[in-house]
Amino acid sequence: MPGLRLENLSKRFGKTVAVDSLDLEIRDGEIMTLLGPSGCGKTTTLRCIAGLLTPDEGEIYLGDERVTDLPPERRGVGLVFQNYALWPHMTVYDNLAFGLQLRRVARAEIQRRVSEALAMVRLSGFEERYPRQLSGGQQQRVALARALVIEPKLLLLDEPLSNLDAQLREEMRFEIRELQKNLGITSVYVTHDQAEALVLSDRIAILHEGRLVQVGSPAEIYNRPGNRFVAGFIGLTSFVEGTIVRQDAAKGYVVVRTRDGLELCARSDVLQTGQEVTVAIRPEHIELYPEEPAVRPAETNFLSGRVLRGAYLGDVVDYRIQVGEWILRAHAGTGAILKPDQEVFLTIAPDRITLIAV
């Protein structure tokens, strides 16, 4: 299966720039997620790839073939819409067969492909049902099977799970990922759901205001965000602003001092003394102690603070902790619930802190 390449892709609606000079390469057989908030340009990008919109500038290549000006039906692309877009007056079989009939595929071949596509999504035996007779999850599977039955070179999915309930949505993430990997089909998945992107993707492309701001594996995006927007958009993050006041080149550490005198040690071998930085800290990287430890952990940041409030999430409690003039979010187990205004102590390992140059 060919990969996909976007070169300097731009799309405007009047004075609004929806996609701004986007360069992106999607490897053969991988699933790439376009992730970002509403209005960032991800769906517009997908619709340009599909041929439903014509870009104002730039080129689209599927493998070695330039498809920028080709109509949708000649691109070899399967598309799964957010609302499934099933024909309500057609049976499941007819919904899948329709696209093949338009392509003048022989009847016997249509029967074979429809049967195989429904088997892929575990809906064999549902051929004579109508969409109204299916659950939301079953309709989603039919929409996916309809996209696959044409044997596309590229699979495009536009927030296909957004209409499902939370539990079913979580199950379908894994099913789509497994199916895509079994088929080895190059795929582009659009979502604003961070958890979906982390579970499904080989790589994630973060879009913001029409621009590509970072591309990487889920682990790279989560653990090494390239800027404050990415750090704040993916997962939960607390931010502290400060200036690097000294370095330990031998250990690869720097010390950041905030305006209220708080000092934090973090790992960095590229930032220099005097640079202003944003300190990004994930709540799961903070250890909480209700009492001051008799022996402080070595080579770690040790802070004291006061509990503002906590939110019980079932597996953890999400606390807001006041440390100086900063508020840090920290996750702790549910064994002993900390109370508002209770003094607590925090440790943060230097290599668990992300520094972002301002």
Side-chain angles (χ1 to χ4, degrees):
M1 297 290 181
L4 176 73
R5 189 169 77 256
L6 310 179
E7 295 183 355
N8 196 38
L9 193 73
S10 296
K11 181 63 182 177
R12 292 178 291 275
F13 298 100
K15 295 183 179 180
T16 301
V17 180
V19 181
D20 191 0
S21 304
L22 177 62
D23 290 308
L24 184 63
E25 185 168 339
I26 298 166
R27 300 164 186 156
D28 178 21
E30 83 169 335
I31 181 166
M32 168 78 81
T33 295
L34 305 183
L35 178 65
S38 297
C40 71
K42 54 189 185 294
T43 294
T44 300
T45 300
L46 192 83
R47 293 176 72 85
C48 287
I49 297 169
L52 302 177
L53 289 173
T54 302
D56 296 306
E57 298 166 9
E59 303 291 352
I60 303 170
Y61 292 89
L62 188 53
D64 295 326
E65 182 183 8
R66 179 182 177 275
V67 299
T68 313
D69 303 318
L70 289 182
E73 65 273 14
R74 292 182 55 197
R75 297 194 182 199
V77 169
L79 180 58
V80 181
F81 294 96
Q82 182 176 352
N83 62 357
Y84 315 142
L86 301 177
W87 296 104
H89 62 287
M90 290 185 180
T91 64
V92 168
Y93 181 93
D94 291 336
N95 264 282
L96 268 66
F98 183 69
L100 298 175
Q101 292 165 350
L102 291 178
R103 290 167 173 80
R104 302 185 183 278
V105 177
R107 179 177 298 180
E109 178 67 5
I110 290 176
Q111 292 175 343
R112 181 189 69 81
R113 289 204 204 175
V114 170
S115 178
E116 289 182 356
L118 289 176
M120 286 180 196
V121 297
R122 297 185 288 112
L123 284 178
S124 297
F126 285 69
E127 288 86 348
E128 298 308 314
R129 297 195 189 185
Y130 289 88
R132 65 178 179 273
Q133 297 172 311
L134 304 175
S135 67
Q138 290 168 341
Q139 290 183 46
Q140 193 274 337
R141 288 190 177 94
V142 172
L144 182 57
R146 185 180 59 182
L148 294 172
V149 76
I150 63 172
E151 298 180 351
K153 301 174 185 176
L154 177 69
L155 180 62
L156 306 176
L157 304 104
D158 187 8
E159 304 205 42
L161 306 183
S162 60
N163 292 327
L164 303 180
D165 62 66
Q167 184 173 350
L168 184 56
R169 188 163 65 243
E170 184 175 355
E171 293 173 3
M172 288 306 302
R173 293 170 189 163
F174 292 98
E175 291 195 17
I176 290 175
R177 170 76 179 179
E178 183 177 359
L179 181 60
Q180 185 270 338
K181 285 302 166 188
N182 288 339
L183 295 174
I185 185 170
T186 307
S187 303
V188 182
Y189 192 100
V190 163
T191 186
H192 62 272
D193 187 307
Q194 305 160 25
E196 239 171 67
L198 293 172
V199 169
L200 280 162
S201 312
D202 291 312
R203 290 189 299 152
I204 298 171
I206 305 289
L207 300 180
H208 181 49
E209 297 180 344
R211 289 184 171 273
L212 179 66
V213 293
Q214 188 171 354
V215 179
S217 70
E220 289 169 344
I221 294 289
Y222 188 86
N223 293 315
R224 294 189 294 278
N227 57 37
R228 179 164 178 157
F229 170 78
V230 176
F233 186 75
I234 296 289
L236 300 175
T237 309
S238 301
F239 294 109
V240 173
E241 309 293 339
T243 304
I244 296 176
V245 293
R246 58 183 182 276
Q247 297 174 267
D248 185 336
K251 294 183 178 180
Y253 290 151
V254 298
V255 174
V256 178
R257 179 181 296 154
T258 68
R259 57 179 175 261
D260 61 336
L262 179 68
E263 290 194 351
L264 291 166
C265 179
R267 187 181 296 278
S268 177
D269 54 7
V270 295
L271 297 173
Q272 303 296 319
T273 300
Q275 275 190 270
E276 294 184 358
V277 294
T278 295
V279 178
I281 306 170
R282 302 285 189 189
E284 66 270 21
H285 295 159
I286 297 176
E287 294 286 340
L288 283 180
Y289 299 86
E291 298 178 354
E292 184 172 0
V295 179
R296 295 186 180 184
E299 294 191 352
T300 191
N301 294 287
F302 186 85
L303 310 169
S304 63
R306 195 163 298 277
V307 176
L308 296 177
R309 62 184 183 277
Y312 182 80
L313 302 180
D315 55 340
V316 297
V317 180
D318 181 14
Y319 291 105
R320 268 71 166 175
I321 310 294
Q322 184 84 49
V323 179
E325 64 179 69
W326 310 97
I327 297 176
L328 304 183
R329 295 182 72 167
H331 287 170
T334 59
I337 305 297
L338 302 175
K339 298 177 181 179
D341 207 38
Q342 179 178 344
E343 184 180 19
V344 291
F345 300 89
L346 307 79
T347 60
I348 313 166
D351 57 1
R352 290 296 198 172
I353 292 176
T354 299
L355 297 184
I356 301 169
V358 175

